[in-house]
Amino acid sequence: MNEIKPYSKAIVYLLRKTAEKSSPVWKDILLYQSEIQEYLSVIGLELIIKKDEGFAFVKQVVYDDSTMNLVTRRLLGFEVSIVVIVLRQLLEDYDSNPTETQSLDRIITANEIKDEVRLFLPENYNKVKLEKDLDTYIQRVVELGYLKEVKRNGDDVRYKIHRIIKEKVTIEDLDLFKKKIEEYAGTI
């Protein structure tokens, strides 16, 4: 019978979600990094650790078109995708223009997110429906792990944009989505 390895909990945790510095398995991930990577590579996964940014996650290794997807890919829907793309762009802008007093975390309010989403959409988009559902879309992005609520004071909610968004949404993805938005704007 095989014995349970001391890093087993870390593997199970990583297979389910992103591990942050505050998670109970963080120390095991760092301590058993090579063993975890060796195990994951057998099933076609790669361990990504962003020690400076305080998180780790598992990424699917794509060998060819026949690769089975062990990592869940979620279809987000148009509006949620826009919120994610806006957050990714905001984080890119934040990182590209650092100041001496700037923290590593990009903090943003729900109202700022809404303002940025409004600016991003084509002028002839149905903004009435968007306004009605924008809080739901933001909450979905929180559930996906791209935003983390850091402070709530009544209706004023502050979020941290989680840096994993840079790993999941690349600059190429950002550019491609912007082109699709321009094409979409030309059809309505």
Side-chain angles (χ1 to χ4, degrees):
M1 188 166 111
N2 291 337
E3 67 180 73
I4 294 177
K5 303 292 184 192
Y7 49 85
S8 296
K9 285 183 182 177
I11 290 173
V12 172
Y13 193 96
L14 286 163
L15 289 172
R16 295 208 272 136
K17 61 183 179 178
T18 300
E20 297 191 44
K21 198 180 264 186
S22 60
S23 71
V25 296
W26 181 254
K27 288 180 184 174
D28 287 342
I29 292 169
L30 297 179
L31 184 62
Y32 298 106
Q33 180 177 347
S34 60
E35 291 90 342
I36 292 171
Q37 179 55 58
E38 184 178 328
Y39 176 86
L40 292 172
S41 68
V42 171
I43 57 174
L45 300 175
E46 179 182 3
L47 175 62
I48 307 292
I49 299 176
K50 297 293 183 175
K51 197 185 288 188
D52 293 343
E53 296 170 0
F55 66 93
F57 66 101
V58 173
K59 182 177 178 182
Q60 180 76 50
V61 177
V62 179
Y63 298 107
D64 56 32
D65 291 339
S66 66
T67 301
M68 291 184 62
N69 288 326
L70 294 173
V71 177
T72 306
R73 294 184 61 94
R74 296 174 179 99
L75 196 57
L76 300 182
F78 181 72
E79 292 83 0
V80 173
S81 295
I82 287 178
V83 175
V84 170
I85 292 297
V86 164
L87 293 172
R88 175 62 174 91
Q89 183 65 57
L90 288 169
L91 190 57
E92 186 65 28
D93 294 345
Y94 184 75
D95 289 347
S96 297
N97 302 306
T99 63
E100 287 182 29
T101 58
Q102 178 174 309
S103 76
L104 179 64
D105 297 331
R106 172 63 164 99
I107 306 298
I108 189 166
T109 66
N111 288 331
E112 289 171 321
I113 295 170
K114 292 174 185 178
D115 290 344
E116 291 293 332
V117 167
R118 286 184 205 108
L119 292 173
F120 194 84
L121 287 170
E123 203 168 298
N124 46 359
Y125 185 78
N126 182 355
K127 293 183 180 169
V128 173
K129 180 187 179 325
L130 178 80
E131 289 294 325
K132 189 179 100 184
D133 297 333
L134 204 46
D135 286 324
T136 303
Y137 303 140
I138 292 171
Q139 185 56 43
R140 177 74 176 118
V141 173
V142 170
E143 292 165 8
L144 290 167
Y146 297 136
L147 277 176
K148 185 174 184 179
E149 186 176 315
V150 291
K151 186 176 181 185
R152 179 181 289 269
N153 188 4
D155 288 341
D156 181 36
V157 184
R158 294 188 175 277
Y159 299 99
K160 174 181 101 168
I161 302 175
H162 198 301
R163 292 197 164 272
I164 196 165
I165 201 168
K166 290 181 82 169
E167 301 297 322
K168 302 284 185 165
V169 181
T170 65
I171 293 295
E172 293 80 24
D173 295 332
L174 202 55
D175 292 340
L176 180 65
F177 194 84
K178 287 178 184 178
K179 286 178 187 167
K180 286 185 178 184
I181 286 287
E182 289 169 10
E183 290 170 12
Y184 173 78
T187 63
I188 56 174

PDB file of all heavy atoms in Angstrom, residues 13-21 23 25-26 29 48 54-58 74 144-146 162-165 168:
ATOM      1  N   TYR A  13      -5.356  20.604  -2.819  1.00  0.00           N
ATOM      2  CA  TYR A  13      -5.738  22.009  -2.733  1.00  0.00           C
ATOM      3  C   TYR A  13      -5.506  22.712  -4.069  1.00  0.00           C
ATOM      4  O   TYR A  13      -6.377  23.418  -4.577  1.00  0.00           O
ATOM      5  CB  TYR A  13      -4.914  22.690  -1.626  1.00  0.00           C
ATOM      6  CG  TYR A  13      -5.417  24.048  -1.215  1.00  0.00           C
ATOM      7  CD1 TYR A  13      -6.239  24.189  -0.112  1.00  0.00           C
ATOM      8  CD2 TYR A  13      -5.062  25.198  -1.913  1.00  0.00           C
ATOM      9  CE1 TYR A  13      -6.701  25.424   0.287  1.00  0.00           C
ATOM     10  CE2 TYR A  13      -5.518  26.443  -1.527  1.00  0.00           C
ATOM     11  CZ  TYR A  13      -6.337  26.556  -0.426  1.00  0.00           C
ATOM     12  OH  TYR A  13      -6.802  27.785  -0.043  1.00  0.00           O
ATOM     13  N   LEU A  14      -4.338  22.496  -4.655  1.00  0.00           N
ATOM     14  CA  LEU A  14      -3.984  23.131  -5.925  1.00  0.00           C
ATOM     15  C   LEU A  14      -4.878  22.658  -7.076  1.00  0.00           C
ATOM     16  O   LEU A  14      -5.136  23.420  -8.011  1.00  0.00           O
ATOM     17  CB  LEU A  14      -2.519  22.860  -6.266  1.00  0.00           C
ATOM     18  CG  LEU A  14      -1.502  23.639  -5.452  1.00  0.00           C
ATOM     19  CD1 LEU A  14      -0.127  23.003  -5.564  1.00  0.00           C
ATOM     20  CD2 LEU A  14      -1.474  25.095  -5.908  1.00  0.00           C
ATOM     21  N   LEU A  15      -5.303  21.421  -7.022  1.00  0.00           N
ATOM     22  CA  LEU A  15      -6.187  20.917  -8.069  1.00  0.00           C
ATOM     23  C   LEU A  15      -7.574  21.558  -8.003  1.00  0.00           C
ATOM     24  O   LEU A  15      -8.297  21.594  -8.986  1.00  0.00           O
ATOM     25  CB  LEU A  15      -6.314  19.392  -7.979  1.00  0.00           C
ATOM     26  CG  LEU A  15      -5.066  18.611  -8.391  1.00  0.00           C
ATOM     27  CD1 LEU A  15      -5.237  17.133  -8.076  1.00  0.00           C
ATOM     28  CD2 LEU A  15      -4.740  18.830  -9.863  1.00  0.00           C
ATOM     29  N   ARG A  16      -7.913  22.096  -6.844  1.00  0.00           N
ATOM     30  CA  ARG A  16      -9.222  22.704  -6.676  1.00  0.00           C
ATOM     31  C   ARG A  16      -9.222  24.209  -6.865  1.00  0.00           C
ATOM     32  O   ARG A  16     -10.189  24.771  -7.368  1.00  0.00           O
ATOM     33  CB  ARG A  16      -9.795  22.364  -5.305  1.00  0.00           C
ATOM     34  CG  ARG A  16     -10.052  20.868  -5.196  1.00  0.00           C
ATOM     35  CD  ARG A  16     -11.143  20.501  -4.251  1.00  0.00           C
ATOM     36  NE  ARG A  16     -10.670  20.328  -2.901  1.00  0.00           N
ATOM     37  CZ  ARG A  16     -11.282  20.806  -1.801  1.00  0.00           C
ATOM     38  NH1 ARG A  16     -12.319  21.443  -1.848  1.00  0.00           N
ATOM     39  NH2 ARG A  16     -10.823  20.613  -0.620  1.00  0.00           N
ATOM     40  N   LYS A  17      -8.117  24.870  -6.445  1.00  0.00           N
ATOM     41  CA  LYS A  17      -8.105  26.331  -6.551  1.00  0.00           C
ATOM     42  C   LYS A  17      -6.700  26.878  -6.374  1.00  0.00           C
ATOM     43  O   LYS A  17      -5.756  26.154  -6.062  1.00  0.00           O
ATOM     44  CB  LYS A  17      -9.046  26.961  -5.525  1.00  0.00           C
ATOM     45  CG  LYS A  17      -8.702  26.679  -4.071  1.00  0.00           C
ATOM     46  CD  LYS A  17      -9.753  27.304  -3.175  1.00  0.00           C
ATOM     47  CE  LYS A  17      -9.505  27.046  -1.716  1.00  0.00           C
ATOM     48  NZ  LYS A  17     -10.508  27.698  -0.875  1.00  0.00           N
ATOM     49  N   THR A  18      -6.588  28.162  -6.532  1.00  0.00           N
ATOM     50  CA  THR A  18      -5.323  28.872  -6.352  1.00  0.00           C
ATOM     51  C   THR A  18      -4.972  28.895  -4.870  1.00  0.00           C
ATOM     52  O   THR A  18      -5.829  29.147  -4.021  1.00  0.00           O
ATOM     53  CB  THR A  18      -5.461  30.319  -6.873  1.00  0.00           C
ATOM     54  OG1 THR A  18      -5.789  30.270  -8.262  1.00  0.00           O
ATOM     55  CG2 THR A  18      -4.182  31.107  -6.672  1.00  0.00           C
ATOM     56  N   ALA A  19      -3.718  28.637  -4.563  1.00  0.00           N
ATOM     57  CA  ALA A  19      -3.244  28.704  -3.170  1.00  0.00           C
ATOM     58  C   ALA A  19      -2.570  30.052  -2.954  1.00  0.00           C
ATOM     59  O   ALA A  19      -1.698  30.445  -3.727  1.00  0.00           O
ATOM     60  CB  ALA A  19      -2.259  27.576  -2.895  1.00  0.00           C
ATOM     61  N   GLU A  20      -2.990  30.731  -1.929  1.00  0.00           N
ATOM     62  CA  GLU A  20      -2.384  32.015  -1.588  1.00  0.00           C
ATOM     63  C   GLU A  20      -1.447  31.844  -0.407  1.00  0.00           C
ATOM     64  O   GLU A  20      -1.485  30.836   0.292  1.00  0.00           O
ATOM     65  CB  GLU A  20      -3.472  33.040  -1.280  1.00  0.00           C
ATOM     66  CG  GLU A  20      -4.335  33.310  -2.490  1.00  0.00           C
ATOM     67  CD  GLU A  20      -5.248  34.491  -2.298  1.00  0.00           C
ATOM     68  OE1 GLU A  20      -4.777  35.520  -1.786  1.00  0.00           O
ATOM     69  OE2 GLU A  20      -6.424  34.382  -2.681  1.00  0.00           O
ATOM     70  N   LYS A  21      -0.644  32.874  -0.199  1.00  0.00           N
ATOM     71  CA  LYS A  21       0.334  32.854   0.885  1.00  0.00           C
ATOM     72  C   LYS A  21      -0.323  32.549   2.231  1.00  0.00           C
ATOM     73  O   LYS A  21       0.270  31.914   3.089  1.00  0.00           O
ATOM     74  CB  LYS A  21       1.037  34.216   0.939  1.00  0.00           C
ATOM     75  CG  LYS A  21       2.322  34.238   1.693  1.00  0.00           C
ATOM     76  CD  LYS A  21       2.926  35.628   1.692  1.00  0.00           C
ATOM     77  CE  LYS A  21       3.947  35.727   0.592  1.00  0.00           C
ATOM     78  NZ  LYS A  21       4.692  36.994   0.610  1.00  0.00           N
ATOM     79  N   SER A  23      -2.905  30.578   2.666  1.00  0.00           N
ATOM     80  CA  SER A  23      -3.580  29.280   2.681  1.00  0.00           C
ATOM     81  C   SER A  23      -2.807  28.285   3.561  1.00  0.00           C
ATOM     82  O   SER A  23      -1.596  28.403   3.737  1.00  0.00           O
ATOM     83  CB  SER A  23      -3.744  28.734   1.265  1.00  0.00           C
ATOM     84  OG  SER A  23      -2.512  28.344   0.744  1.00  0.00           O
ATOM     85  N   VAL A  25      -1.737  25.401   3.017  1.00  0.00           N
ATOM     86  CA  VAL A  25      -0.776  24.523   2.340  1.00  0.00           C
ATOM     87  C   VAL A  25       0.407  25.284   1.729  1.00  0.00           C
ATOM     88  O   VAL A  25       1.272  24.681   1.092  1.00  0.00           O
ATOM     89  CB  VAL A  25      -1.483  23.691   1.236  1.00  0.00           C
ATOM     90  CG1 VAL A  25      -2.522  22.758   1.855  1.00  0.00           C
ATOM     91  CG2 VAL A  25      -2.105  24.574   0.172  1.00  0.00           C
ATOM     92  N   TRP A  26       0.463  26.585   1.912  1.00  0.00           N
ATOM     93  CA  TRP A  26       1.504  27.410   1.275  1.00  0.00           C
ATOM     94  C   TRP A  26       2.922  26.926   1.613  1.00  0.00           C
ATOM     95  O   TRP A  26       3.758  26.765   0.726  1.00  0.00           O
ATOM     96  CB  TRP A  26       1.328  28.876   1.661  1.00  0.00           C
ATOM     97  CG  TRP A  26       2.336  29.776   1.019  1.00  0.00           C
ATOM     98  CD1 TRP A  26       3.406  30.372   1.627  1.00  0.00           C
ATOM     99  CD2 TRP A  26       2.399  30.169  -0.354  1.00  0.00           C
ATOM    100  NE1 TRP A  26       4.115  31.113   0.724  1.00  0.00           N
ATOM    101  CE2 TRP A  26       3.524  31.013  -0.506  1.00  0.00           C
ATOM    102  CE3 TRP A  26       1.625  29.895  -1.470  1.00  0.00           C
ATOM    103  CZ2 TRP A  26       3.876  31.581  -1.727  1.00  0.00           C
ATOM    104  CZ3 TRP A  26       1.970  30.465  -2.687  1.00  0.00           C
ATOM    105  CH2 TRP A  26       3.090  31.291  -2.799  1.00  0.00           C
ATOM    106  N   ILE A  29       3.751  23.774  -0.207  1.00  0.00           N
ATOM    107  CA  ILE A  29       3.986  24.012  -1.642  1.00  0.00           C
ATOM    108  C   ILE A  29       5.430  24.459  -1.855  1.00  0.00           C
ATOM    109  O   ILE A  29       6.116  23.974  -2.759  1.00  0.00           O
ATOM    110  CB  ILE A  29       2.988  25.042  -2.205  1.00  0.00           C
ATOM    111  CG1 ILE A  29       1.576  24.445  -2.221  1.00  0.00           C
ATOM    112  CG2 ILE A  29       3.396  25.500  -3.606  1.00  0.00           C
ATOM    113  CD1 ILE A  29       0.478  25.444  -2.516  1.00  0.00           C
ATOM    114  N   ILE A  48       2.773  26.419 -11.029  1.00  0.00           N
ATOM    115  CA  ILE A  48       3.264  27.783 -11.196  1.00  0.00           C
ATOM    116  C   ILE A  48       3.243  28.435  -9.810  1.00  0.00           C
ATOM    117  O   ILE A  48       2.194  28.518  -9.175  1.00  0.00           O
ATOM    118  CB  ILE A  48       2.374  28.608 -12.158  1.00  0.00           C
ATOM    119  CG1 ILE A  48       2.164  27.898 -13.487  1.00  0.00           C
ATOM    120  CG2 ILE A  48       2.936  30.012 -12.332  1.00  0.00           C
ATOM    121  CD1 ILE A  48       3.368  27.779 -14.359  1.00  0.00           C
ATOM    122  N   GLY A  54       2.752  36.029  -3.960  1.00  0.00           N
ATOM    123  CA  GLY A  54       2.051  35.296  -2.916  1.00  0.00           C
ATOM    124  C   GLY A  54       0.958  34.351  -3.363  1.00  0.00           C
ATOM    125  O   GLY A  54      -0.047  34.208  -2.680  1.00  0.00           O
ATOM    126  N   PHE A  55       1.146  33.657  -4.491  1.00  0.00           N
ATOM    127  CA  PHE A  55       0.167  32.659  -4.877  1.00  0.00           C
ATOM    128  C   PHE A  55       0.802  31.580  -5.749  1.00  0.00           C
ATOM    129  O   PHE A  55       1.883  31.763  -6.306  1.00  0.00           O
ATOM    130  CB  PHE A  55      -1.047  33.280  -5.588  1.00  0.00           C
ATOM    131  CG  PHE A  55      -0.753  33.904  -6.927  1.00  0.00           C
ATOM    132  CD1 PHE A  55      -0.886  33.163  -8.093  1.00  0.00           C
ATOM    133  CD2 PHE A  55      -0.381  35.227  -7.026  1.00  0.00           C
ATOM    134  CE1 PHE A  55      -0.634  33.729  -9.331  1.00  0.00           C
ATOM    135  CE2 PHE A  55      -0.119  35.806  -8.260  1.00  0.00           C
ATOM    136  CZ  PHE A  55      -0.249  35.051  -9.417  1.00  0.00           C
ATOM    137  N   ALA A  56       0.101  30.460  -5.828  1.00  0.00           N
ATOM    138  CA  ALA A  56       0.525  29.334  -6.665  1.00  0.00           C
ATOM    139  C   ALA A  56      -0.724  28.716  -7.275  1.00  0.00           C
ATOM    140  O   ALA A  56      -1.799  28.739  -6.680  1.00  0.00           O
ATOM    141  CB  ALA A  56       1.275  28.298  -5.833  1.00  0.00           C
ATOM    142  N   PHE A  57      -0.570  28.154  -8.468  1.00  0.00           N
ATOM    143  CA  PHE A  57      -1.697  27.508  -9.123  1.00  0.00           C
ATOM    144  C   PHE A  57      -1.192  26.446 -10.081  1.00  0.00           C
ATOM    145  O   PHE A  57       0.005  26.329 -10.325  1.00  0.00           O
ATOM    146  CB  PHE A  57      -2.587  28.529  -9.858  1.00  0.00           C
ATOM    147  CG  PHE A  57      -1.926  29.201 -11.027  1.00  0.00           C
ATOM    148  CD1 PHE A  57      -2.201  28.793 -12.330  1.00  0.00           C
ATOM    149  CD2 PHE A  57      -1.031  30.248 -10.835  1.00  0.00           C
ATOM    150  CE1 PHE A  57      -1.595  29.418 -13.412  1.00  0.00           C
ATOM    151  CE2 PHE A  57      -0.428  30.875 -11.912  1.00  0.00           C
ATOM    152  CZ  PHE A  57      -0.710  30.456 -13.209  1.00  0.00           C
ATOM    153  N   VAL A  58      -2.114  25.681 -10.613  1.00  0.00           N
ATOM    154  CA  VAL A  58      -1.807  24.610 -11.540  1.00  0.00           C
ATOM    155  C   VAL A  58      -2.266  25.027 -12.931  1.00  0.00           C
ATOM    156  O   VAL A  58      -3.360  25.573 -13.091  1.00  0.00           O
ATOM    157  CB  VAL A  58      -2.519  23.307 -11.109  1.00  0.00           C
ATOM    158  CG1 VAL A  58      -2.357  22.234 -12.148  1.00  0.00           C
ATOM    159  CG2 VAL A  58      -1.980  22.836  -9.771  1.00  0.00           C
ATOM    160  N   ARG A  74     -13.562  27.955 -17.922  1.00  0.00           N
ATOM    161  CA  ARG A  74     -14.935  28.418 -17.733  1.00  0.00           C
ATOM    162  C   ARG A  74     -15.328  29.388 -18.834  1.00  0.00           C
ATOM    163  O   ARG A  74     -14.577  30.297 -19.151  1.00  0.00           O
ATOM    164  CB  ARG A  74     -15.063  29.106 -16.376  1.00  0.00           C
ATOM    165  CG  ARG A  74     -14.828  28.192 -15.213  1.00  0.00           C
ATOM    166  CD  ARG A  74     -14.836  28.982 -13.913  1.00  0.00           C
ATOM    167  NE  ARG A  74     -14.626  28.120 -12.789  1.00  0.00           N
ATOM    168  CZ  ARG A  74     -13.456  27.968 -12.197  1.00  0.00           C
ATOM    169  NH1 ARG A  74     -12.399  28.595 -12.631  1.00  0.00           N
ATOM    170  NH2 ARG A  74     -13.341  27.176 -11.160  1.00  0.00           N
ATOM    171  N   LEU A 144     -14.666  33.885  -9.199  1.00  0.00           N
ATOM    172  CA  LEU A 144     -13.616  33.306 -10.040  1.00  0.00           C
ATOM    173  C   LEU A 144     -12.222  33.503  -9.441  1.00  0.00           C
ATOM    174  O   LEU A 144     -11.262  32.880  -9.877  1.00  0.00           O
ATOM    175  CB  LEU A 144     -13.659  33.916 -11.441  1.00  0.00           C
ATOM    176  CG  LEU A 144     -14.862  33.525 -12.292  1.00  0.00           C
ATOM    177  CD1 LEU A 144     -14.959  34.425 -13.521  1.00  0.00           C
ATOM    178  CD2 LEU A 144     -14.771  32.059 -12.694  1.00  0.00           C
ATOM    179  N   GLY A 145     -12.113  34.394  -8.456  1.00  0.00           N
ATOM    180  CA  GLY A 145     -10.844  34.611  -7.778  1.00  0.00           C
ATOM    181  C   GLY A 145      -9.996  35.737  -8.344  1.00  0.00           C
ATOM    182  O   GLY A 145      -8.850  35.914  -7.939  1.00  0.00           O
ATOM    183  N   TYR A 146     -10.538  36.522  -9.261  1.00  0.00           N
ATOM    184  CA  TYR A 146      -9.774  37.625  -9.855  1.00  0.00           C
ATOM    185  C   TYR A 146      -9.878  38.912  -9.039  1.00  0.00           C
ATOM    186  O   TYR A 146      -9.059  39.808  -9.190  1.00  0.00           O
ATOM    187  CB  TYR A 146     -10.239  37.904 -11.285  1.00  0.00           C
ATOM    188  CG  TYR A 146     -10.005  36.747 -12.231  1.00  0.00           C
ATOM    189  CD1 TYR A 146     -10.980  36.361 -13.124  1.00  0.00           C
ATOM    190  CD2 TYR A 146      -8.813  36.041 -12.216  1.00  0.00           C
ATOM    191  CE1 TYR A 146     -10.772  35.300 -13.994  1.00  0.00           C
ATOM    192  CE2 TYR A 146      -8.595  34.978 -13.079  1.00  0.00           C
ATOM    193  CZ  TYR A 146      -9.581  34.618 -13.963  1.00  0.00           C
ATOM    194  OH  TYR A 146      -9.376  33.575 -14.821  1.00  0.00           O
ATOM    195  N   HIS A 162      -6.596  40.513  -7.971  1.00  0.00           N
ATOM    196  CA  HIS A 162      -5.661  39.412  -7.717  1.00  0.00           C
ATOM    197  C   HIS A 162      -4.712  39.269  -8.905  1.00  0.00           C
ATOM    198  O   HIS A 162      -5.131  39.261 -10.057  1.00  0.00           O
ATOM    199  CB  HIS A 162      -6.415  38.109  -7.485  1.00  0.00           C
ATOM    200  CG  HIS A 162      -5.592  37.060  -6.825  1.00  0.00           C
ATOM    201  ND1 HIS A 162      -4.422  36.573  -7.348  1.00  0.00           N
ATOM    202  CD2 HIS A 162      -5.767  36.415  -5.653  1.00  0.00           C
ATOM    203  CE1 HIS A 162      -3.914  35.673  -6.547  1.00  0.00           C
ATOM    204  NE2 HIS A 162      -4.723  35.553  -5.501  1.00  0.00           N
ATOM    205  N   ARG A 163      -3.449  39.139  -8.617  1.00  0.00           N
ATOM    206  CA  ARG A 163      -2.428  39.080  -9.671  1.00  0.00           C
ATOM    207  C   ARG A 163      -2.482  37.824 -10.525  1.00  0.00           C
ATOM    208  O   ARG A 163      -1.887  37.774 -11.584  1.00  0.00           O
ATOM    209  CB  ARG A 163      -1.040  39.253  -9.059  1.00  0.00           C
ATOM    210  CG  ARG A 163      -0.885  40.665  -8.531  1.00  0.00           C
ATOM    211  CD  ARG A 163       0.530  41.071  -8.290  1.00  0.00           C
ATOM    212  NE  ARG A 163       0.565  42.515  -8.159  1.00  0.00           N
ATOM    213  CZ  ARG A 163       0.707  43.353  -9.170  1.00  0.00           C
ATOM    214  NH1 ARG A 163       0.870  42.908 -10.382  1.00  0.00           N
ATOM    215  NH2 ARG A 163       0.700  44.655  -8.980  1.00  0.00           N
ATOM    216  N   ILE A 164      -3.261  36.846 -10.125  1.00  0.00           N
ATOM    217  CA  ILE A 164      -3.404  35.663 -10.969  1.00  0.00           C
ATOM    218  C   ILE A 164      -4.055  36.025 -12.298  1.00  0.00           C
ATOM    219  O   ILE A 164      -3.896  35.322 -13.293  1.00  0.00           O
ATOM    220  CB  ILE A 164      -4.173  34.532 -10.264  1.00  0.00           C
ATOM    221  CG1 ILE A 164      -3.949  33.221 -11.021  1.00  0.00           C
ATOM    222  CG2 ILE A 164      -5.649  34.865 -10.152  1.00  0.00           C
ATOM    223  CD1 ILE A 164      -4.322  31.994 -10.278  1.00  0.00           C
ATOM    224  N   ILE A 165      -4.749  37.139 -12.331  1.00  0.00           N
ATOM    225  CA  ILE A 165      -5.382  37.569 -13.573  1.00  0.00           C
ATOM    226  C   ILE A 165      -4.346  37.771 -14.682  1.00  0.00           C
ATOM    227  O   ILE A 165      -4.617  37.549 -15.854  1.00  0.00           O
ATOM    228  CB  ILE A 165      -6.239  38.845 -13.337  1.00  0.00           C
ATOM    229  CG1 ILE A 165      -7.284  39.005 -14.441  1.00  0.00           C
ATOM    230  CG2 ILE A 165      -5.367  40.088 -13.238  1.00  0.00           C
ATOM    231  CD1 ILE A 165      -8.327  40.059 -14.130  1.00  0.00           C
ATOM    232  N   LYS A 168      -3.701  34.266 -16.092  1.00  0.00           N
ATOM    233  CA  LYS A 168      -4.833  33.673 -16.797  1.00  0.00           C
ATOM    234  C   LYS A 168      -5.238  34.460 -18.041  1.00  0.00           C
ATOM    235  O   LYS A 168      -5.766  33.894 -18.987  1.00  0.00           O
ATOM    236  CB  LYS A 168      -6.038  33.563 -15.862  1.00  0.00           C
ATOM    237  CG  LYS A 168      -5.776  32.751 -14.605  1.00  0.00           C
ATOM    238  CD  LYS A 168      -5.762  31.283 -14.886  1.00  0.00           C
ATOM    239  CE  LYS A 168      -5.611  30.503 -13.602  1.00  0.00           C
ATOM    240  NZ  LYS A 168      -5.930  29.119 -13.731  1.00  0.00           N
TER     241      LYS A 168
END
